[in-house]
Amino acid sequence: MPWVYLDDHFDEHAKVLSAREIHRDAPWLFVAGLCYSRRSATDGVIIAPQIPRLITNYSRKAAQALVEVNLWDDIGKGSVVTHDYTDWNRPSEAKSASARNAAQVRWAREKGDPRNA
């Protein structure tokens, strides 16, 4: 099961508070973007058509707030990337390698390989 990492002081972070002042749903949009990025293995990239689908009450102003306070970086054509995503979350390539290794260990156990007992 993939996990996304979120600081337990997220709700107190200056950027989050600033984004919330611009639009009340901006922090929730940010969290939904993190979950989408992790689930979809995009390394923090959220393509333009996906952004409005992240939360039910999407507002362009909430997305703009995240860019304005540097929680999201604009990468052109309406797409964004979560600022410093791979500093705090494993890149999708590392996640895939970890998943492959875990699957190999499980397979070896199921086949009775004594090296992995």
Side-chain angles (χ1 to χ4, degrees):
M1 173 185 301
W3 296 89
V4 65
Y5 296 96
L6 189 66
D7 185 338
D8 61 350
H9 289 278
F10 172 79
D11 61 320
E12 301 172 333
H13 192 284
K15 289 182 179 181
V16 174
L17 294 173
S18 294
R20 189 178 68 196
E21 285 179 20
I22 297 167
H23 194 281
R24 66 185 175 108
D25 291 334
W28 177 235
L29 181 62
F30 180 78
V31 171
L34 288 177
C35 294
Y36 165 79
S37 295
R38 184 63 169 179
R39 180 176 59 249
S40 302
T42 66
D43 292 337
V45 173
I46 307 168
I47 59 172
Q50 184 60 38
I51 296 171
R53 298 178 186 139
L54 293 175
I55 61 174
T56 304
N57 295 322
Y58 171 75
S59 165
R60 183 181 302 263
K61 190 170 181 179
Q64 290 169 338
L66 296 174
V67 172
E68 186 176 318
V69 302
N70 297 315
L71 285 169
W72 281 356
D73 297 326
D74 184 343
I75 57 174
K77 297 186 180 178
S79 297
V80 297
V81 64
T82 302
H83 187 77
D84 292 339
Y85 180 88
T86 56
D87 289 353
W88 302 101
N89 294 277
R90 280 189 305 178
S92 58
E93 184 178 296
K95 187 175 90 171
S96 296
S98 176
R100 277 193 305 276
N101 290 340
Q104 288 172 344
V105 168
R106 282 192 308 274
W107 185 82
R109 267 196 215 124
E110 290 171 5
K111 298 298 179 190
D113 187 333
R115 294 175 291 170
N116 293 307

